[in-house]
Amino acid sequence: MITRDEAVALLTAPGAPLEIRTEDVLGEPMDVYVNRPRSLRELLESSRTHGDRDYLVTSGRRIGFAEHHDQVAALARVLREDYGVGRGDRVGLCAANCPEWIVGFWAAVSLGAVAVGMNSMWARPELAHGVELTEPKVMIVDEPRARLAEGLDVPLLRVESDLPRIASEHPGTPLPELDEEIAEDDPAVILFTSGTTGRAKGATHTHRNVIAAVWFHLLNDAVAAEMGLPQADRRFLLVSPLFHIASLHNLAVVRLVVGDVAVLYQGKFDIEQVLRLIEQERITNWGAMPTMLTRIIELGDRLQEFDLSTLRSLSVSSAPSSPGLKEALRTALPQAGRSLGTTYGLTESCTAATLASAAELAADPSTVGRPVPTVEVEIRDTEGRPVPEGIEGEIHLRGAQMMLGYWNNAKATAASTAPHRWFRTGDLGHLADGQLHIASRRSDLILRGGENIYPAEVEDRIVAHPAVRECIVMGVPDPDYGQAVAAVVVLHPGENVSPEDLCAHTAAGIARYKVPTRWQITLDELPRNATGKVNRRDVRLT
């Protein structure tokens, strides 16, 4: 049987459908897919060939590719004619997962505008920052987010009422013609990632970036087909938020191109409801966070109550996962577990930068795999010099899928960029036999159930409480979420405050998932080094 490496070489060779060659990308030579489209609008227009087949499915709705295209065209016309949206303008998206979120995304990018995926779990101050930073001409929101956005001086289109009305008022309308051609390196998407300065940064992805992410998945599909693995009649489960690359770039966008079904789970995560949806919709593929998959193991013998016989592909991503969890999944779901692989990537990389196949992960549970075909990976020392295999250093990435930069934040962009368009991840790791191993992610970063939390952002909110003198926020091991948020809080002399008070104060300014669940309140000063800086590693929870 052909190996994965042999299949990749065959499929990306000169003249092959997925040929890869070196071209100039923003002034630097990089590997690219030759036969790629140059804009996301081209992907949307091609999707009409899938006809009435299901594209988006929820528990109560089924939207085919042709109907989806009609809804996108109707919304795009209103965005252009009523709100003046054109090339380079921003369109905000802030709602719980729903088909309208995806329709809004495609409508924005089809006009050459920039779709801004805002975190639907944000508190009002965070939403206000996102609006101030990106200045959208209009926002597409659901009712809970509409109430949150009141007074932010941006027009709102509501998912529940406005989008259905627009679709009914403009049946069969074509996509608006463009006054300016979309350029491959035009911004297309802004997705937010937490920042060490305490405010979210907008990772800006171009049409080139997102299409490179899609073609990574097309190559994986082609490799699997070459190796005799079934690729027909796939139905993908979409559970993670659409403002994540896991659900947007790696699922919703790819499924439109391939013609597969995306089944959206809606509402608060409940493993039994998820498994019922897998059963009812005959789901074949699911990429999930470790927290979600842990729920499967916790069901124990009750897992037998669900018919999961159609689930044939499972991947774990978005957060570190233990070897024990992976082995337990292979036992609990033997058919899907045989396909269990993993990846390493970031919001800034649009999709996976490395990929570990099921065989590689089974042989070495600590690996996150090899660089994907169009991505370069280097490990560098503190002076920016590449180090040999086996030596730990900072992970650097380069490739056509890497973000353009952080929106309206030249300082953060410069800090994350090395010469020749290398991206400094801030993560530590090493290479061994060409495979990447992660030592720690972004220094003080807390990774809670797939959500990135930077302590500085939480600390800034906590110290705004008048009783608080200073604090340190850190991640602590959690069997459910991988990490939980903990805080050591030093009060001003004579002050007294409860954990409940601090929780309420913190939650008023940042998303609930960032609020510490473990508090240590003290009058003792935090440990410091000779320069007066707090030594985080010396802080101990008691």
Side-chain angles (χ1 to χ4, degrees):
M1 178 183 288
I2 190 172
T3 67
R4 179 177 179 82
D5 288 346
E6 290 170 340
V8 169
L10 177 68
L11 292 163
T12 60
L18 293 164
E19 177 184 352
I20 292 175
R21 73 180 177 207
T22 302
E23 294 181 4
D24 180 277
V25 177
L26 296 173
E28 297 293 340
M30 297 184 190
D31 286 347
V32 297
Y33 292 96
V34 174
N35 302 310
R36 67 191 185 279
R38 273 27 180 203
S39 76
L40 292 171
R41 181 183 172 108
E42 294 180 48
L43 301 185
L44 175 67
E45 291 177 325
S46 298
S47 72
R48 288 179 295 184
T49 61
H50 301 309
D52 293 329
R53 291 162 53 187
D54 285 346
Y55 170 37
L56 304 175
V57 173
T58 69
S59 60
R61 300 165 63 192
R62 313 187 89 80
I63 300 173
F65 286 89
E67 181 183 355
H68 169 262
H69 189 278
D70 286 348
Q71 291 184 15
V72 170
L75 179 57
R77 181 160 297 278
V78 168
L79 290 177
R80 173 151 180 184
E81 294 180 355
D82 295 358
Y83 296 93
V85 174
R87 181 183 176 192
D89 294 323
R90 275 74 65 204
V91 175
L93 299 163
C94 194
N97 283 3
C98 59
E100 289 77 11
W101 202 110
I102 297 171
V103 169
F105 166 83
W106 284 111
V109 299
S110 74
L111 296 171
V114 184
V116 183
M118 297 185 180
N119 190 324
S120 61
M121 294 184 284
W122 272 346
R124 180 180 166 84
E126 295 167 307
L127 181 59
H129 167 65
V131 170
E132 180 183 6
L133 181 72
T134 60
E135 301 177 302
K137 278 200 167 180
V138 61
M139 285 183 63
I140 296 168
V141 296
D142 56 14
E143 283 298 338
R145 262 51 65 169
R147 292 191 292 271
L148 206 62
E150 287 179 0
L152 292 183
D153 194 29
V154 57
L156 304 178
L157 286 173
R158 287 167 169 78
V159 160
E160 296 86 351
S161 55
D162 292 321
L163 266 66
R165 173 183 55 78
I166 289 168
S168 66
E169 290 178 351
H170 302 274
T173 188
L175 277 175
E177 295 295 325
L178 300 180
D179 295 329
E180 299 179 83
E181 184 178 350
I182 299 170
E184 188 171 12
D185 292 308
D186 280 353
V189 190
I190 297 172
L191 297 180
F192 286 86
T193 181
S194 294
T196 54
T197 59
R199 284 194 154 189
K201 297 177 293 185
T204 306
H205 303 156
T206 64
H207 290 262
R208 181 197 297 275
N209 295 157
V210 182
I211 289 168
V214 173
W215 255 243
F216 156 71
H217 286 277
L218 297 187
L219 177 60
N220 283 344
D221 289 351
V223 168
E226 287 288 335
M227 297 177 70
L229 301 175
Q231 299 299 298
D233 301 319
R234 295 180 302 178
R235 303 176 67 81
F236 286 74
L237 182 61
L238 191 160
V239 179
S240 301
L242 280 161
F243 54 80
H244 280 185
I245 58 170
S247 285
L248 185 58
H249 300 355
N250 295 339
L251 205 160
V253 176
V254 182
R255 305 291 60 88
L256 182 101
V257 176
V258 177
D260 292 327
V261 182
V263 179
L264 280 66
Y265 175 81
Q266 296 177 287
K268 185 178 180 180
F269 183 84
D270 180 288
I271 188 58
E272 294 192 28
Q273 292 185 32
V274 169
L275 295 180
R276 287 296 177 209
L277 188 60
I278 292 174
E279 185 178 64
Q280 292 163 10
E281 289 295 337
R282 315 301 289 165
I283 298 297
T284 60
N285 295 64
W286 184 20
M289 298 177 185
T291 305
M292 299 173 182
L293 298 175
T294 298
R295 295 287 192 274
I296 292 177
I297 306 306
E298 291 172 348
L299 285 174
D301 292 340
R302 291 199 54 220
L303 189 60
Q304 306 307 314
E305 299 174 12
F306 305 92
D307 179 6
L308 307 178
S309 59
T310 60
L311 189 62
R312 61 180 187 240
S313 180
L314 190 67
S315 63
V316 57
S317 57
S318 300
S321 56
S322 68
L325 173 60
K326 298 183 184 86
E327 191 54 42
L329 286 168
R330 294 186 186 101
T331 301
L333 298 169
Q335 175 177 274
R338 285 196 295 270
S339 69
L340 188 64
T342 195
T343 59
Y344 166 74
L346 315 94
T347 303
E348 292 88 344
S349 69
C350 283
T351 187
T354 68
L355 168 69
S357 68
E360 289 170 331
L361 193 60
D364 181 2
S366 68
T367 185
V368 292
R370 303 175 187 278
V372 303
T374 58
V375 172
E376 299 172 78
V377 177
E378 284 188 356
I379 308 298
R380 299 186 179 184
D381 62 19
T382 55
E383 302 298 321
R385 298 169 299 204
V387 299
E389 282 208 348
I391 303 300
E392 185 175 292
E394 183 182 7
I395 301 165
H396 286 60
L397 306 175
R398 188 173 80 151
Q401 71 190 50
M402 300 303 299
M403 70 165 186
L404 187 64
Y406 295 111
W407 185 267
N408 200 22
N409 194 336
K411 182 177 180 181
T413 299
S416 67
T417 305
H420 306 295
R421 299 199 65 81
W422 282 92
F423 174 70
R424 301 180 56 187
T425 67
D427 296 344
L428 300 179
H430 71 274
L431 290 166
D433 296 326
Q435 296 194 33
L436 181 63
H437 296 75
I438 307 296
S440 63
R441 296 194 62 143
R442 297 204 176 198
S443 184
D444 302 322
L445 177 70
I446 300 168
L447 203 58
R448 178 191 180 274
E451 293 291 344
N452 290 350
I453 302 170
Y454 275 90
E457 179 185 16
V458 186
E459 290 163 0
D460 286 349
R461 178 60 194 170
I462 294 172
V463 297
H465 192 288
V468 176
R469 180 182 178 189
E470 61 180 353
C471 70
I472 282 287
V473 169
M474 66 190 77
V476 293
D478 184 274
D480 201 17
Y481 290 97
Q483 284 187 302
V485 185
V488 177
V489 178
V490 180
L491 301 182
H492 291 293
E495 295 286 355
N496 186 32
V497 66
S498 69
E500 291 76 19
D501 290 337
L502 290 173
C503 274
H505 162 78
T506 308
I510 60 175
R512 177 66 65 173
Y513 69 87
K514 302 174 186 176
V515 176
T517 54
R518 184 173 171 185
W519 297 87
Q520 183 169 307
I521 300 173
T522 180
L523 293 174
D524 297 332
E525 287 200 8
L526 297 171
R528 284 176 159 76
N529 60 22
T531 64
K533 185 177 180 180
V534 174
N535 277 327
R536 287 181 175 272
R537 294 184 179 181
D538 290 343
V539 176
R540 295 289 180 266
L541 286 168
T542 58

